[in-house]
Amino acid sequence: MRHVTTATPVEIGIDPASVELPDIDDLNETSRRFETRPASAIVAWAYDTYGSGLVLAASFQDCVLIDIVYKTVPDVEVAFLDTQYHFAETLWYVEQVKARYGLNLNVIRPERAPDDLWHNDPDACCRVRKVEPMKRALAGKAAWMSGLRRAESPARAATPLVSFDASRGLVKVNPIATWSDADVAGYVKDHDLPVHPLSERGYDSIGCWPCTRPVGDGEDVRAGRWAGLDKTECGLHL
Ligand code: SF4
């Protein structure tokens, strides 16, 4: 199966002629090979393959993947999109995690973004506050890692471990794609990781404050994101 994204390079502002295509069959085979391997093995493979061309994009709703990555390859760059609409608790948590691991942290902010865009046009808001800044964060890189998991929502149920992000012309690595919610909770407990203050108040998935609410019993982890709208993703992972 060919794992590619649906947005095009043109839509995301990248010249298609500059996109170097990797061997998709090789990537798919690598993804299959890692299905039963620990996340740290995938991280080690990604670093061996892409070196300083590898970036970890972190949302800082927890620090599970950061812990795995920093115990495996401590000097990896971490990108954090400061949308300017994060909860104060998230910005506090970023500082705690940064200090704990001595992160090589790159904080990227939007260049221009009207204040009320989230209310009038959330897709446009995500474009200027997330998708465009991510393009700058990944400029010149070869591969990026994210904490996407199949268990988070039906839309993420087929997330591969390794794929080609055709919209950005980069390889995308999701080391904990196979993890359940219980796997994440167990890792946090076993490794005594710092916990985002809002996760103890029912926020199972944490994004910008105007677009995030706590999750009720029996709801998907991401049910509190853009609740009431026909929108389930910000565009970073489409
Ligand atoms: Fe804007 Fe909401 Fe998207 Fe954040 S999640 S960038 S506030 S629309």
Side-chain angles (χ1 to χ4, degrees):
M1 183 170 58
R2 188 182 163 101
H3 300 299
V4 295
T5 52
T6 51
T8 67
V10 170
E11 283 166 348
I12 213 163
I14 292 174
D15 176 5
S18 69
V19 174
E20 218 172 289
L21 282 175
D23 186 317
I24 301 295
D25 289 337
D26 269 3
L27 285 185
N28 289 343
E29 175 51 33
T30 301
S31 190
R32 278 191 289 273
R33 186 157 43 89
F34 280 117
E35 279 286 329
T36 54
R37 303 285 312 279
S40 57
I42 306 165
V43 171
W45 167 83
Y47 191 70
D48 284 349
T49 307
Y50 303 107
S52 60
L54 180 67
V55 177
L56 165 60
S59 67
F60 287 89
Q61 67 179 19
D62 63 55
C63 62
V64 167
L65 186 54
I66 287 173
D67 190 79
I68 294 166
V69 168
Y70 264 64
K71 284 175 176 164
T72 309
V73 285
D75 55 346
V76 158
E77 180 182 321
V78 178
F80 171 61
L81 302 180
D82 180 357
T83 64
Q84 302 177 322
Y85 277 124
H86 283 298
F87 291 96
E89 288 88 342
T90 298
L91 300 177
W92 175 86
Y93 186 67
V94 169
E95 292 306 315
Q96 304 308 303
V97 174
K98 180 182 173 187
R100 175 178 172 124
Y101 294 94
L103 296 184
N104 173 14
L105 186 65
N106 181 18
V107 179
I108 311 102
R109 298 186 175 87
E111 286 181 332
R112 51 165 195 88
D115 285 343
D116 58 355
L117 208 49
W118 65 269
H119 183 65
N120 299 326
D121 189 346
D123 285 339
C125 187
C126 283
R127 264 198 306 278
V128 297
R129 292 185 184 274
K130 291 188 173 186
V131 177
E132 188 282 330
M134 182 63 95
K135 179 185 159 196
R136 280 185 278 125
L138 299 180
K141 300 296 183 182
W144 65 298
M145 290 185 284
S146 90
L148 245 62
R149 293 186 299 112
R150 294 170 190 167
E152 288 177 306
S153 71
R156 295 186 172 183
T159 299
L161 290 159
V162 182
S163 63
F164 181 56
D165 177 352
S167 67
R168 299 180 176 87
L170 300 174
V171 169
K172 186 174 178 187
V173 183
N174 304 304
I176 58 172
T178 61
W179 286 34
S180 67
D181 299 345
D183 291 334
V184 172
Y187 190 95
V188 169
K189 188 160 180 273
D190 292 349
H191 296 267
D192 197 21
L193 299 188
V195 173
H196 192 302
L198 293 180
S199 69
E200 294 167 328
R201 288 157 46 190
Y203 290 80
D204 287 351
S205 177
I206 304 166
C208 300
W209 64 260
C211 306
T212 307
R213 66 150 171 79
V215 171
D217 288 345
E219 287 188 314
D220 285 340
V221 167
R222 288 177 59 80
R225 306 290 293 275
W226 304 285
L229 298 181
D230 183 24
K231 177 176 172 68
T232 57
E233 295 283 347
C234 60
L236 293 176
H237 303 292
L238 294 177

